[in-house]
Amino acid sequence: MQNSIIKFLGLVLCCFYFQSGAQTDSFCGKVEAVSNLVDTYHFKPKKLNDSLSIGVYDLFIELIDPKKRLLTQSDTAAFNVDRLKIDDYIKDKNCNFIGKYAKILKSRINESKGYLEALSNAKLDYTGSDSLYFNAGKVDSYFRDESSVKRYWNKRVRYELIFKLMEQDSVLENLKSNFKTLELKYRQTVIENEICVLNEIENRDGGLLQFVEESFLNAYLSYQDPNSSYFNSSEKSLFEQGISNTQFSFGIDTYKNDDGKIIIGYITNGSAAFKNGNFDVNDEILVLNYKNTSLETNCISNDAVVAFLNNEDYDDVNFKIKKKDGSVKTIKLSKEETKVEDNTVKGYIIEGEKRLGYIKISSFYTDLESFNGLGLANDVSKQLYLLQREGIEGLIIDLRYNGGGSMKEAAELTGLFIDRGPVAITKDRIDGQFTVRDPNRGMAFYKPIIVLQDHFSASASEFFAGAMQDYKRAVIVGSGTHGKATSQQIIPLNDKENIGFARLSIQKFYRITGRSHQSIGVIPDIELPDFYDDFKTEEKFYKYAIENDTINTTMTYIPLRGYGIADLKRKSEARTNKNVAFKELKSINQKMVKHVINRKAIVPLTLEGIYEDTETYKRMWQAYSNFNSKNSGLLKVMNTKSTAERLEYNKDEKTINNQYLKTLSNDIHLTEAANILQDVLSNY
């Protein structure tokens, strides 16, 4: 039993070690290690048979050519000999099959670049004899032959050219009168950009063969369930940053601009780059160098740059950067431990009939360096203390866009708001069923609570929201959640060499009622219209998503008397049905679902056709942007006194804070959550 407790409270990222008997530096060694780890630790491993072979093969082909822009039907016909043999290859430790995929992919990339180069002096047809076809949900087929490949790139260049011209001038009449001149002026730029995109596939970290190999490992793991995956060192580091309150980094965020250049977009306050003083926002990164490993940023993706900068082995890197004045500098920078700003909890005051507290939780972060590390729950308890000093009568906890994190933190956060008792049940193959409890008697906050959630609240967020709902400790408001009731651990493939990691779903968790929210989500007590309704973002729409189930439990827990949900729901619906903003949001959502998510259209490949199609699309997004900007001043939101005092000494942070306060004050969902909480307090 103690092993169960340690494993659960050790969070999502315990490190088990496994040593493959095969050569650790080979692809076959990785495949064998991944297969054995799945068999040992996955909560429900799938059998190594023909069904697995078919599933892994199909996922693998999708991963190496996700948009079906490279492979032909003859390629897939040749590859199909492997469709029923993947399981045999793994059993026989025969990995020779993988090389042909990289070879064919490289050949198709080079051929496509040749087709694109040939378009530089070709006559392109804009008369409307060709059209673009959009059919959401329909799976495109691979190219029939060489002529269909050429036709695709010809149509793509024409489309991108028209789109490029519209970026230069938004007036259709101007484009019509200058089309021939502008088309010739920007054609080569568009072609070079398309070639660059193809080069990015080859120039990714580790090269094309490594990309194909990692795609296979990801396919094998994704077939087990959509949350299991393969991580290289950079991916592991990025994932851990998402659930940690500190990171070992340079403190630089980058993006790729419209000209294909890698630009510094943000420098974290207090980070290594910030303290160095030679880096500025908008600097262009030309080259990154670590010892004998160099990464030139010409024709590479921003993901490749992020992967390089987050490689665990690269502690210090030489940055060759181009300043805005044109000067070029080479600066050596070493990583330092930096606070993750997104993973920092702050409390706010919402003024109204009764004073309310507000806490936004972006992720369930924790301290990865120690077993008893202090993370989210500790930070929330500090903010609760400050908010209660301000005399708040109720609290809103905002879990929107919170993708989860540490289950340990979710359990401890729940414990802040219930007296004592079980908070969840976990189940795995090694220790079976285990009850997670709040061991500490008493609560850090006794007053009414609203939990605000949305379609992107997942995993640890759902753990917390479900427990608060079962105890009737909070009113759950918003939309249904993502529907992920599994927890993962990152397990190294080998304990001697860094050859990668498997992120495995090793555990399922259930609510204290025995019910699971897997593929269903946490259903809110009071539902609010959301922009992303019916966008099909939830886990149930993923391939090989785990089905919902329940377990038997005789667990005893004592829920509170609740808040009279039926009456609160009736009042909220009356408000939202009359609310012009919510009506407009529903209308925008319905248009987006019809014309974007479920789009079916034929657009002539002409300047007028693409212009009108693009303008229609832009108008829908602009309506949403305008909607957000015109709902102003709905709430009076302010900082706590302690935060306000601290901000007086940091001008930059104060500016960011003021913008955030404005965003909160304009938030219609937060406003309605505050209205519901005021209703609760009026009857409390």
Side-chain angles (χ1 to χ4, degrees):
M1 180 64 75
Q2 185 154 3
N3 277 344
S4 298
I5 299 172
I6 290 174
K7 185 172 68 176
F8 178 80
L9 294 182
L11 73 146
V12 202
L13 296 175
C14 290
C15 289
F16 294 152
Y17 293 99
F18 177 86
Q19 183 168 359
S20 168
Q23 291 181 332
T24 57
D25 59 348
S26 70
F27 170 61
C28 237
K30 292 180 182 180
V31 173
E32 184 185 4
V34 166
S35 179
N36 284 326
L37 287 174
V38 168
D39 289 342
T40 305
Y41 297 115
H42 194 278
F43 69 84
K44 193 176 182 180
K46 294 178 179 175
K47 292 181 180 179
L48 194 59
N49 55 21
D50 285 349
S51 293
L52 177 142
S53 185
I54 293 169
V56 171
Y57 172 85
D58 290 345
L59 287 171
F60 172 53
I61 295 297
E62 287 180 22
L63 286 171
I64 62 174
D65 188 13
K67 297 182 179 179
K68 297 187 177 180
R69 292 180 178 176
L70 297 170
L71 298 178
T72 65
Q73 291 178 16
S74 61
D75 294 332
T76 56
F79 293 156
N80 269 342
V81 298
D82 295 331
R83 197 161 188 259
L84 288 170
K85 294 182 179 179
I86 298 295
D87 57 326
D88 299 318
Y89 293 151
I90 295 173
K91 290 173 185 175
D92 298 338
K93 301 179 184 178
N94 175 12
C95 300
N96 295 328
F97 71 94
I98 200 71
K100 66 186 175 188
Y101 293 91
K103 182 179 178 180
I104 291 296
L105 202 60
K106 183 175 180 62
S107 176
R108 298 296 172 251
I109 289 171
N110 289 334
E111 288 171 2
S112 294
K113 286 191 283 189
Y115 301 147
L116 283 163
E117 288 168 353
L119 294 173
S120 296
N121 300 310
K123 183 178 180 180
L124 300 182
D125 182 4
Y126 297 96
T127 63
S129 59
D130 287 324
S131 297
L132 301 174
Y133 299 88
F134 300 92
N135 189 356
K138 181 182 177 183
V139 179
D140 293 331
S141 59
Y142 292 101
F143 298 124
R144 290 189 307 276
D145 48 33
E146 183 182 17
S147 64
S148 62
V149 181
K150 290 181 178 179
R151 182 175 175 80
Y152 167 79
W153 288 113
N154 188 301
K155 290 176 71 172
R156 181 167 180 82
V157 165
R158 282 181 279 165
Y159 172 78
E160 292 295 337
L161 249 169
I162 293 174
F163 202 82
K164 181 73 173 178
L165 301 190
M166 290 190 299
E167 291 178 343
Q168 311 306 313
D169 193 329
S170 61
V171 179
L172 180 59
E173 293 305 316
N174 294 345
L175 291 174
K176 284 181 178 179
S177 59
N178 299 307
F179 182 76
K180 190 172 182 179
T181 302
L182 292 171
E183 197 269 358
L184 288 173
K185 178 180 179 181
Y186 288 103
R187 183 189 293 197
Q188 195 58 38
T189 299
V190 167
I191 290 171
E192 287 174 1
N193 285 343
E194 291 300 316
I195 291 174
C196 252
V197 171
L198 293 170
N199 284 333
E200 287 177 8
I201 302 173
E202 293 186 289
N203 296 341
R204 67 182 66 236
D205 192 25
L208 188 60
L209 179 59
Q210 182 173 310
F211 161 67
V212 171
E213 291 177 349
E214 291 185 359
S215 294
F216 180 85
L217 296 172
N218 268 309
Y220 186 89
L221 288 163
S222 296
Y223 174 73
Q224 305 298 325
D225 75 278
N227 295 298
S228 291
S229 60
Y230 172 81
F231 278 174
N232 57 37
S233 294
S234 299
E235 290 163 341
K236 172 179 174 285
S237 178
L238 283 169
F239 177 80
E240 290 179 342
Q241 288 176 20
I243 60 169
S244 176
N245 51 1
T246 59
Q247 61 178 243
F248 195 58
S249 72
F250 299 108
I252 290 174
D253 289 340
T254 60
Y255 69 94
K256 188 170 185 176
N257 69 9
D258 292 338
D259 296 322
K261 297 176 180 178
I262 302 298
I263 306 296
I264 295 177
Y266 184 72
I267 298 172
T268 304
N269 286 339
S271 66
F274 180 86
K275 289 187 282 190
N276 180 277
N278 289 302
F279 293 89
D280 293 297
V281 171
N282 295 322
D283 285 348
E284 178 188 352
I285 296 178
L286 303 175
V287 182
L288 298 170
N289 187 271
Y290 172 77
K291 294 183 178 178
N292 296 322
T293 304
S294 183
L295 182 71
E296 296 186 11
T297 62
N298 181 43
C299 284
I300 65 169
S301 66
N302 187 58
D303 288 344
V305 174
V306 172
F308 191 96
L309 294 177
N310 285 279
N311 191 309
E312 288 185 334
D313 298 327
Y314 300 174
D315 291 343
D316 51 75
V317 166
N318 286 317
F319 289 74
K320 187 175 182 180
I321 62 172
K322 184 177 181 180
K323 308 295 287 185
K324 291 177 70 175
D325 62 6
S327 62
V328 175
K329 292 183 177 181
T330 299
I331 308 163
K332 186 174 183 179
L333 193 63
S334 298
K335 288 180 179 176
E336 294 181 5
E337 190 171 277
T338 307
K339 186 80 171 176
V340 180
E341 294 184 16
D342 287 343
N343 290 345
T344 303
V345 171
K346 295 184 180 71
Y348 299 87
I349 304 294
I350 298 176
E351 292 287 10
E353 185 178 342
K354 299 284 182 69
R355 178 173 270 202
L356 311 177
Y358 170 80
I359 293 177
K360 168 69 176 175
I361 299 177
S362 298
S363 75
F364 282 78
Y365 60 85
T366 193
D367 185 346
L368 297 176
E369 300 301 320
S370 63
F371 175 76
N372 292 316
L374 300 177
L376 169 77
N378 182 67
D379 289 351
V380 169
S381 66
K382 291 177 181 177
Q383 292 302 314
L384 285 173
Y385 171 75
L386 295 174
L387 288 169
Q388 290 183 90
R389 284 177 55 187
E390 303 271 358
I392 64 169
E393 296 296 323
L395 176 68
I396 298 172
I397 298 175
D398 191 346
L399 300 179
R400 289 175 296 173
Y401 301 102
N402 184 322
S406 166
M407 297 300 172
K408 162 184 170 286
E409 295 295 338
E412 291 185 359
L413 184 67
T414 305
L416 294 178
F417 302 108
I418 67 169
D419 187 19
R420 193 174 186 178
V423 294
I425 306 163
T426 65
K427 186 178 181 181
D428 62 35
R429 291 174 57 223
I430 297 174
D431 296 301
Q433 199 165 300
F434 171 69
T435 300
V436 182
R437 297 180 178 275
D438 169 30
N440 302 312
R441 185 172 293 281
M443 295 183 278
F445 185 77
Y446 293 83
K447 297 175 181 179
I449 299 171
I450 298 290
V451 172
L452 190 55
Q453 62 180 34
D454 66 5
H455 296 294
F456 301 98
S457 304
S459 194
S461 296
E462 296 172 289
F463 178 113
F464 173 73
M468 296 290 277
Q469 188 176 53
D470 290 336
Y471 272 97
K472 297 184 179 180
R473 183 63 185 90
V475 180
I476 312 301
V477 175
S479 53
T481 56
H482 183 70
K484 176 180 177 291
T486 58
S487 58
Q488 289 69 43
Q489 290 182 334
I490 296 179
I491 308 172
L493 302 190
N494 183 272
D495 63 344
K496 293 182 179 179
E497 297 178 69
N498 185 357
I499 60 170
F501 306 82
R503 178 178 180 244
L504 282 184
S505 296
I506 53 92
Q507 195 176 65
K508 298 175 74 174
F509 58 91
Y510 299 80
R511 295 168 68 153
I512 50 178
T513 59
R515 292 180 297 148
S516 169
H517 64 260
Q518 174 63 35
S519 294
I520 292 177
V522 176
I523 309 303
D525 298 312
I526 300 174
E527 189 170 4
L528 301 180
D530 190 272
F531 175 71
Y532 294 100
D533 288 342
D534 299 318
F535 272 37
K536 300 180 181 179
T537 59
E538 295 84 359
E539 180 147 332
K540 65 183 178 183
F541 296 107
Y542 293 5
K543 285 187 177 180
Y544 304 110
I546 305 300
E547 294 182 354
N548 183 267
D549 65 343
T550 60
I551 56 174
N552 294 322
T553 177
T554 57
M555 189 178 304
T556 301
Y557 69 99
I558 304 174
L560 302 182
R561 63 184 176 87
Y563 299 111
I565 297 298
D567 184 54
L568 294 173
K569 185 175 181 179
R570 179 182 56 78
K571 292 178 179 177
S572 177
E573 287 178 348
R575 279 191 297 268
T576 56
N577 288 337
K578 292 179 182 178
N579 189 297
V580 174
F582 276 114
K583 287 181 180 178
E584 185 177 354
L585 183 60
K586 286 181 182 180
S587 175
I588 293 170
N589 164 261
Q590 290 166 1
K591 290 177 182 177
M592 291 295 292
V593 169
K594 180 179 179 180
H595 298 292
V596 178
I597 305 302
N598 299 324
R599 185 183 192 197
K600 292 184 180 181
I602 300 174
V603 179
L605 219 171
T606 62
L607 172 61
E608 293 86 350
I610 294 175
Y611 183 91
E612 180 53 37
D613 183 64
T614 304
E615 286 298 304
T616 300
Y617 186 76
K618 284 167 62 176
R619 282 194 293 270
M620 283 188 288
W621 279 106
Q622 192 61 49
Y624 183 55
S625 177
N626 293 340
F627 165 80
N628 284 326
S629 62
K630 67 185 179 184
N631 296 310
S632 59
L634 302 176
L635 285 176
K636 183 179 180 181
V637 186
M638 53 194 289
N639 296 116
T640 60
K641 291 178 182 178
S642 60
T643 299
E645 290 172 0
R646 179 176 55 79
L647 289 173
E648 288 300 321
Y649 301 96
N650 191 323
K651 186 177 180 180
D652 292 339
E653 190 177 348
K654 186 175 182 179
T655 300
I656 295 171
N657 172 77
N658 289 341
Q659 182 59 48
Y660 186 61
L661 291 178
K662 183 179 179 181
T663 299
L664 292 178
S665 71
N666 300 343
D667 188 331
I668 62 170
H669 293 89
L670 179 57
T671 300
E672 180 53 25
N675 288 334
I676 294 169
L677 187 50
Q678 293 288 0
D679 288 341
V680 171
L681 292 171
S682 67
N683 298 321
Y684 191 64

